[in-house]
Amino acid sequence: MALVPRVFLTADQIQKRVREMGDQISTDFPQGPIYLIAILKGAFMFLADLSRAIRTPSRVEFIGISSYGRGKTTSGQVKVTKDLDVSIEGHHVLIVEDIVDSGVTLTYLMNVLKQRRPKSLNIATLLDKPERRLRPVDVAYVGFKIPDEFVVGYGLDFAEDYRNLGDICVLHEEGQK
Ligand code: IMP
Ligand code: MG
């Protein structure tokens, strides 16, 4: 059956919230540089907007982590597939994530990065599905708390599709209310 995306958060709502998050982060970290570490691929669009909303001097880095296959649920197995190119020792680090679901990915990544002795280590996520949490994660900056629905767009995919949508949408089966 065909899947149709239905708008859940508009591009305008997202932009407004991301600017607020950028303001808060700029206030909390007046001294740079902040290393913004985006988790590939889902966080790429959020990173692009958040980095422009942060006034503190920042640097942009990427890390690749696999935990999901092509389905909608975590495989529970997490590993680094593309590591950072730089040392983060002694620097402020902000992990930039699209969505926190089970918390498995971020629990793993926080442990990996903590061992590299950053000056500070925090998480900014655009979306949070607290109902789905299996591992407790301390998330400093949350854009929107959302119910347990599978969402796509603004970087988020379903089997690599829909990342380029400007809105965040819930996928429904055609004909379903
Ligand atoms: P966690 O380890 O279960 O917290 O998984 C987080 C990752 O799962 C996110 O970075 C996303 O890549 C993916 N994910 C979780 N929920 C969704 C969703 O609703 N849509 C798209 N991807 C999701
Ligand atoms: Mg992801």
Side-chain angles (χ1 to χ4, degrees):
M1 196 176 259
L3 293 171
V4 273
R6 203 173 285 168
V7 176
F8 178 70
L9 291 168
T10 65
D12 283 349
Q13 287 175 295
I14 298 166
Q15 293 302 323
K16 180 167 175 281
R17 184 70 187 117
V18 172
R19 278 196 294 271
E20 289 170 358
M21 295 175 82
D23 282 343
Q24 185 65 56
I25 293 163
S26 308
T27 306
D28 293 350
F29 295 91
Q31 305 279 10
I34 308 172
Y35 281 61
L36 304 175
I37 299 185
I39 306 182
L40 292 169
K41 301 172 192 172
F44 82 97
M45 218 176 267
F46 178 42
L47 172 76
D49 289 333
L50 184 67
S51 61
R52 284 178 286 186
I54 294 174
R55 293 179 304 277
T56 307
S58 300
R59 295 177 183 173
V60 168
E61 300 292 339
F62 295 91
I63 195 162
I65 293 190
S66 76
S67 68
Y68 273 60
R70 290 174 60 83
K72 290 184 181 176
T73 53
T74 183
S75 65
Q77 291 274 21
V78 193
K79 63 173 192 218
V80 172
T81 53
K82 185 218 169 285
D83 206 341
L84 300 174
D85 304 318
V86 294
S87 164
I88 55 167
E89 187 169 348
H91 292 295
H92 291 302
V93 171
L94 187 64
I95 299 173
V96 178
E97 175 61 310
D98 50 3
I99 185 165
V100 188
D101 188 40
S102 69
V104 170
T105 305
L106 281 175
T107 301
Y108 169 81
L109 185 59
M110 286 293 273
N111 285 333
V112 168
L113 296 185
K114 232 177 254 167
Q115 287 165 20
R116 302 183 187 180
R117 306 200 297 168
K119 189 190 284 179
S120 67
L121 181 61
N122 287 285
I123 299 168
T125 186
L126 182 66
L127 303 174
D128 182 12
K129 284 189 209 171
E131 287 166 43
R132 302 251 316 164
R133 202 74 88 251
L134 297 174
R135 305 271 172 81
V137 199
D138 192 6
V139 185
Y141 306 97
V142 176
F144 301 92
K145 286 206 164 92
I146 66 165
D148 181 11
E149 297 262 23
F150 197 83
V151 290
V152 296
Y154 196 71
L156 291 136
D157 74 308
F158 174 57
E160 296 302 327
D161 288 326
Y162 308 106
R163 289 194 200 276
N164 60 320
L165 301 179
D167 302 316
I168 290 175
C169 301
V170 175
L171 279 187
H172 285 274
E173 293 192 349
E174 206 165 43
Q176 185 187 314
K177 276 243 176 109

